[in-house]
């Protein structure tokens, strides 16, 4: 008989866009992020859940699988920490209109194709230009070509260069995790002032000239 307490689960419901957790995970198998940041072999989802104390911890998808043959990457998280984090997030979004209180996340893999990378970098710069905080999650590609150490280091340089191109934006802490493993880069943006176009400047100049006449 499964008599598990779901009270905390209901209390810490994240936004509708959040990724599945616990029994919401429908995949038969998963890959688990271990304590050292490395990825486990493919594991049976039900077996992993049976080994977790669901009163205190939860299994959360951090990167969905690309298709049915590609298991999602999951982490085991402490419920109390998750609850406090999400409570603080909701409170800040309700009472604080400061863009710096908003955190965005972008997921990449170390061997991301050039076009996909350019698109994600564009999104990163958009978020930073709005003054948001940004977390860039990096994980290994589970199938196909794997990135080399040199390619992974080059990817980090490209990300950091893109951040530098947004005036006032900066990296707020060293990379967390492992190169070519699961890692997180954290950045802080700065709200950019809108740039006036030539036509707008011309209109203002005409107004000033008319006032002088």
């Amino acid at each position: 008989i499964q008599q598990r307490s779901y009270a905390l689960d209901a209390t810490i419901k994240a936004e509708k866009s959040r990724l599945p957790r616990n029994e919401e995970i429908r995949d038969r198998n998963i890959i688990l992020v271990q304590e050292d940041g490395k990825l486990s072999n493919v594991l049976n989802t039900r077996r992993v859940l049976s080994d977790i104390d669901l009163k205190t911890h939860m299994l959360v998808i951090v990167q969905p699988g690309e298709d049915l043959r590609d298991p999602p990457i999951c982490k085991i998280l402490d419920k109390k920490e998750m609850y406090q984090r999400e409570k603080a997030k909701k409170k800040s979004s309700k009472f604080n209109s400061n863009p710096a209180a908003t955190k965005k996340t972008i997921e990449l893999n170390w061997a991301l194709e050039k076009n996909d990378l350019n698109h994600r970098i564009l999104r990163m710069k958009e978020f930073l230009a709005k003054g948001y905080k940004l977390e860039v999650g990096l994980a290994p590609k589970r199938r196909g070509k794997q990135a080399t150490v040199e390619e992974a280091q080059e990817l980090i340089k490209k990300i950091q260069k893109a951040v530098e191109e947004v005036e006032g934006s900066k990296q707020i802490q060293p990379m967390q995790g492992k190169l070519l493993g699961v890692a997180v880069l954290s950045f802080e943006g700065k709200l950019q002032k809108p740039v006036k176009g030539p036509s707008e400047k011309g209109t203002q100049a005409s107004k000033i000239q008319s006032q002088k006449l």
Side-chain angles (χ1 to χ4, degrees):
I1 300 172
Q2 292 184 338
Q3 292 182 335
R4 294 168 178 163
S5 172
Y6 293 97
L8 266 177
D9 280 342
T11 307
I12 60 175
K13 246 185 192 177
E15 301 168 0
K16 290 181 180 180
S17 59
R18 72 166 170 78
L19 293 169
R21 57 186 62 173
N22 293 346
E23 280 77 6
E24 296 171 4
I25 300 172
R26 301 302 181 191
D27 301 85
R28 183 186 296 272
N29 297 311
I30 61 169
I31 294 172
L32 199 61
V33 179
Q34 302 175 106
E35 289 185 6
D36 60 2
K38 294 181 180 178
L39 298 180
S40 71
N41 295 322
V42 175
L43 303 171
N44 179 268
T45 308
R46 297 303 118 191
R47 183 169 295 178
V48 173
L49 282 170
S50 68
D51 290 338
I52 299 173
D53 183 351
L54 294 181
K55 291 182 180 179
T56 58
H57 291 76
M58 65 173 68
L59 182 69
V60 180
I61 290 180
V62 294
Q63 184 173 319
E66 294 175 8
D67 55 47
L68 293 175
R69 297 171 298 169
D70 193 20
I73 295 177
C74 299
K75 284 187 82 171
I76 296 173
L77 301 175
D78 184 282
K79 278 189 174 184
K80 190 173 182 181
E81 289 180 10
M82 283 283 291
Y83 170 69
Q84 294 297 335
R85 193 182 307 165
E86 291 180 3
K87 184 179 178 182
K89 183 180 176 181
K90 287 180 181 179
K91 185 177 180 181
S92 64
S93 63
K94 185 175 181 180
F95 298 104
N96 196 339
S97 58
N98 182 1
T102 302
K103 181 184 286 186
K104 297 289 184 178
T105 302
I106 289 181
E107 301 289 344
L108 308 175
N109 69 64
W110 294 105
L112 198 64
E113 294 293 333
K114 184 178 179 180
N115 288 340
D116 288 338
L117 176 60
N118 289 339
H119 174 70
R120 307 284 176 88
I121 283 179
L122 184 61
R123 292 292 292 155
M124 282 174 45
K125 294 170 81 169
E126 287 174 359
F127 289 148
L128 293 170
K130 291 179 180 179
Y132 298 158
K133 287 182 179 177
L134 175 68
E135 281 191 355
V136 178
L138 292 154
K141 196 172 185 178
R142 284 156 289 180
R143 289 186 296 132
K145 178 182 175 293
Q146 298 296 314
T148 63
V149 171
E150 291 75 17
E151 287 171 335
Q153 290 172 338
E154 184 62 27
L155 175 60
I156 291 175
K157 287 179 182 177
K158 286 180 180 178
I159 293 170
Q160 291 172 332
K161 183 183 177 184
V163 172
E164 290 171 1
E165 289 172 356
V166 181
E167 186 181 353
S169 297
K170 60 184 178 180
Q171 186 168 344
I172 54 178
Q173 63 181 19
M175 184 180 80
Q176 304 295 303
K178 302 274 187 179
L179 191 74
L180 292 176
V182 176
V184 176
L185 291 165
S186 300
F187 303 101
E188 187 174 69
K190 183 178 181 182
L191 184 62
Q192 305 296 299
K193 293 180 180 179
V195 179
K196 294 177 181 178
S199 58
E200 189 177 346
K201 288 179 181 178
T203 303
Q204 288 184 342
S206 298
K207 287 182 179 178
I208 292 170
Q209 202 168 21
S210 298
Q211 287 174 357
K212 287 181 179 178
L213 294 172

